Amino acid sequence: MTYDIEARTLHFKQPAGTSRGVYTTRQIWLIHLSDGGRRGVGECAPLPDLSCDARPDYKVILEKFCDAFCQTGEIDYEAMRDYPSMLFGLETALLDLKEAGRRGGKAAGHLLFDTAFSRGEAGIPINGLVWMGRYDEMLQRMEEKLEKGFRCVKLKIGAIDFDQELDLVKRIRRRFSFHEVELRLDANGAFPFDEALYKLELLSQYAIHSIEQPIRQGQWALMAELCRESPLPIALDEELIGVSDPEMKSHMLHIIKPRYIILKPSLHGGMQGCREWISAAREAGIGSWITSALESNVGLNAIAQFASDVYGDDIRMPQGLGTGQLFTDNIPMPLEIRGDKLWRVMMT
């Protein structure tokens, strides 16, 4: 078995704003595995200043893991626990290669799991994503998502004046009741703790489904207090980054007690690590959903199929899988958004 690593720079159609800054380009690495006649591809996409494995010698470490894999034919999950984006890329490439083997080496549209979604028989409900920006920009983006038929919209907040963001939420609720549109918020850790509860109380007037990471990660005691006192359900996202030991995952969830966790394979331990998180969350009575993390369509295809494998063929909760149209130079994959669902288009 051999491999190649291909570096690519993707370009956003519009700047993607978060509370940590604005992305205009995206660096990814594609792992191409081959056993001579068949090939598989997986995407490694660390996020600068966020991923625990985003480092200057990224490619060198990735090559070492790929060398070790090609020698043994097995993924060393323990060695790769602290390198989630690399693990996810290698997991994806191996699944892709194995599926090509089952199909006699023929192109299978990068089918990784045998699910209704993977076979093109069912769509996965997704949320529409509204990026941070100026007030008028966010309002326009929200209008576009609603016009396209999305019934669940995720609004990133924390970059502009809070009163303007509150007004934006108020405008949405004037037009659409919570029965018509589910609203999710993502603060990306932007609220100071001493202001967080007050802001959550103001937001709770507008029937918000949940808010992600209201305060910055790494403050377990403060986050636990906020989860106890908040009138809004709180979901953890960045808080999960770097927590790779299965026992520590369970320990953290029992301390903080969030309502939900949001899982990104590139950030939270690859597919294997996300399965561990979901298992720990279920034992604690905590809900979860899966989202992409600004990967190309290679990663999005794998994440969507993984979600369908984890949650089954009848997914009701919208997943965060609507990022496939972000780049001007994305990689073609058999994915298509119809209304508020993501579908795989089976190749003939």
Side-chain angles (χ1 to χ4, degrees):
M1 196 175 296
T2 60
Y3 73 91
D4 292 310
I5 296 176
E6 175 190 0
R8 285 207 185 191
T9 300
L10 304 177
H11 299 81
F12 285 90
K13 293 178 181 177
Q14 296 177 340
T18 75
S19 59
R20 290 180 299 274
V22 178
Y23 294 110
T24 56
T25 61
R26 182 78 165 96
Q27 181 69 51
I28 66 169
W29 286 263
L30 299 176
I31 300 174
H32 298 276
L33 284 182
S34 174
D35 63 0
R38 300 165 297 187
R39 294 179 66 85
V41 63
E43 178 177 355
C44 304
L47 283 166
D49 303 320
L50 184 61
S51 297
C52 60
D53 57 355
R55 43 193 298 167
D57 56 349
Y58 187 90
K59 186 179 179 183
V60 173
I61 296 175
L62 180 58
E63 287 173 341
K64 290 181 180 178
F65 284 130
C66 289
D67 286 337
F69 169 77
C70 287
Q71 289 174 11
T72 64
E74 301 288 338
I75 296 176
D76 188 340
Y77 287 100
E78 290 304 313
M80 298 190 73
R81 278 192 179 276
D82 294 329
Y83 302 89
S85 65
M86 300 184 196
L87 175 56
F88 175 58
L90 194 52
E91 286 175 313
T92 302
L94 181 58
L95 285 169
D96 199 21
L97 183 67
K98 287 182 175 179
E99 184 58 34
R102 284 191 289 269
R103 294 173 177 266
K106 296 180 180 179
H110 302 283
L111 190 151
L112 309 179
F113 295 96
D114 187 17
T115 67
F117 170 75
S118 298
R119 296 189 300 268
E121 299 167 1
I124 296 177
I126 61 175
N127 60 248
L129 178 60
V130 176
W131 289 99
M132 291 180 180
R134 297 193 310 272
Y135 176 80
D136 55 336
E137 291 175 335
M138 295 179 72
L139 184 60
Q140 180 184 352
R141 292 168 188 168
M142 176 64 74
E143 295 281 355
E144 290 171 355
K145 295 300 179 185
L146 297 175
E147 288 174 5
K148 289 180 179 179
F150 283 97
R151 291 296 169 258
C152 176
V153 178
K154 174 179 170 179
L155 183 67
K156 283 187 173 286
I157 62 175
I160 61 175
D161 180 73
F162 178 74
D163 289 337
Q164 287 187 304
E165 292 172 335
L166 191 64
D167 183 64
L168 184 61
V169 172
K170 188 187 303 183
R171 280 177 178 243
I172 297 164
R173 276 290 172 252
R174 283 176 183 165
R175 287 186 53 199
F176 300 96
S177 72
F178 69 93
H179 295 293
E180 297 171 294
V181 174
E182 178 179 288
L183 273 179
R184 297 175 177 175
L185 303 179
D186 183 2
N188 286 129
F191 296 165
F193 174 74
D194 58 359
E195 300 176 8
L197 188 58
Y198 172 67
K199 290 181 175 180
L200 295 180
E201 288 172 348
L202 291 178
L203 290 166
S204 68
Q205 305 173 68
Y206 304 107
I208 306 299
H209 172 271
S210 57
I211 183 167
E212 295 177 38
Q213 204 69 43
I215 62 175
R216 63 179 174 81
Q217 67 267 35
Q219 307 177 89
W220 289 15
L222 296 181
M223 185 66 85
E225 180 181 342
L226 205 56
C227 287
R228 287 195 305 270
E229 302 295 332
S230 172
L232 287 181
I234 290 177
L236 302 185
D237 180 355
E238 288 92 340
E239 200 74 62
L240 312 180
I241 296 172
V243 182
S244 59
D245 179 75
E247 291 186 8
M248 187 58 70
K249 292 176 181 180
S250 180
H251 180 60
M252 190 191 79
L253 293 180
H254 279 88
I255 288 175
I256 298 179
K257 295 183 173 63
R259 184 75 64 87
Y260 303 102
I261 60 173
I262 300 168
L263 296 165
K264 300 177 174 74
S266 291
L267 294 175
H268 302 135
M271 298 183 198
Q272 176 68 19
C274 286
R275 290 186 192 276
E276 293 172 354
W277 276 117
I278 291 169
S279 176
R282 284 173 173 167
E283 289 179 5
I286 295 168
S288 67
W289 67 87
I290 290 173
T291 82
S292 51
L294 306 184
E295 295 88 355
S296 77
N297 280 336
V298 173
L300 178 61
N301 175 64
I303 294 166
Q305 292 190 61
F306 173 65
S308 71
D309 184 64
V310 168
Y311 296 128
D313 289 340
D314 188 25
I315 298 177
R316 301 295 180 88
M317 178 176 281
Q319 308 293 299
L321 305 173
T323 58
Q325 299 172 322
L326 292 177
F327 304 109
T328 60
D329 44 6
N330 210 334
I331 300 167
M333 278 283 158
L335 299 172
E336 181 178 283
I337 295 178
R338 304 175 198 162
D340 63 349
K341 289 187 177 182
L342 181 69
W343 291 79
R344 268 177 52 84
V345 182
M346 292 305 294
M347 301 175 68
T348 58

